[in-house]
Amino acid sequence: MWLDLRKIIESPGASQTFAVTLDPEHLRDPAIQGFKVPPEARGEVVNTAGLLSLRGTLTAEMTCVCDRCGTVFDREKVLSLDVPLAADVSDEQSPEVFAVEGGGIDVSEVAETCFILDMEQKVLCRDECKGLCPMCGKNLNEGPCGCTRPGDPRLAALRRLLEMPDDPTD
Ligand SMILES: [Zn+2]
Ligand SMILES: [Zn+2]
């Protein structure tokens, strides 16, 4: 959604509200299976002493896949937006600053970029997700599976004991 900022661009203290429904197609992430309701962003662009910034909240209710155990789970994301906007496009800003062009800005694009930048590298169903057993594939969050883990040092010690020849004095 293109937001017209011409009314506030030269007026310190002025603000322009916005509310936009985002296109889920633009919020793709390997961990996101889908959105339960269309994600929304609302807020305002404020002119503070001549500097424009976009402030607001992005809310999304989505279904995610855990990177570690593969469980599909619901997740609500509420993201605060506070993004400086560059009103003067002529001076080359750093790429992360959104530029106002033609007297306005695409607020959908700003919100979508913030959403994608905020996504974790690995989405987990819980902070301490135990993942799947590498041997039987059981979800270890639901309880232990009974497989003996090859890396367990106690088992290695036990194996060494079992491999020892019989004690002749016994
Ligand atoms: Zn998990
Ligand atoms: Zn197992």
Side-chain angles (χ1 to χ4, degrees):
M1 184 195 103
W2 195 79
L3 185 68
D4 190 346
L5 299 173
R6 282 173 297 185
K7 284 201 205 89
I8 69 160
I9 215 159
E10 302 290 347
S11 311
S15 61
Q16 177 75 55
T17 58
F18 68 88
V20 62
T21 302
L22 305 174
D23 184 350
E25 283 295 307
H26 295 164
L27 304 176
R28 279 169 182 253
D29 185 282
I32 301 172
Q33 218 174 44
F35 291 89
K36 300 178 86 177
V37 290
E40 279 184 354
R42 55 180 66 242
E44 56 184 359
V45 174
V46 192
N47 181 331
T48 310
L51 297 173
L52 295 178
S53 55
L54 182 150
R55 293 176 197 155
T57 311
L58 192 163
T59 50
E61 278 183 65
M62 51 204 183
T63 311
C64 292
V65 186
C66 177
D67 188 71
R68 209 175 276 167
C69 72
T71 300
V72 174
F73 61 101
D74 291 342
R75 174 132 181 238
E76 210 180 310
K77 190 178 177 90
V78 179
L79 180 64
S80 290
L81 305 172
D82 191 352
V83 187
L85 305 180
D88 188 1
V89 205
S90 58
D91 71 283
E92 279 297 312
Q93 299 278 348
S94 51
E96 62 264 30
V97 175
F98 294 94
V100 174
E101 284 176 271
I105 195 153
D106 185 344
V107 287
S108 310
E109 193 192 312
V110 175
E112 286 157 9
T113 305
C114 292
F115 179 92
I116 289 161
L117 291 176
D118 188 68
M119 281 301 291
E120 307 88 319
Q121 289 293 310
K122 291 190 184 301
V123 172
L124 299 180
C125 62
R126 64 193 86 183
D127 287 343
E128 297 302 317
C129 174
K130 294 188 176 78
L132 303 177
C133 170
M135 296 173 80
C136 71
K138 184 184 154 86
N139 185 341
L140 298 175
N141 297 310
E142 293 162 5
C145 60
C147 294
T148 50
R149 280 181 291 142
D152 193 324
R154 286 165 304 175
L155 287 172
L158 187 65
R159 260 190 223 106
R160 274 199 298 278
L161 283 174
L162 292 171
E163 283 161 14
M164 273 165 59
D166 289 341
D167 190 338
T169 61
D170 193 28

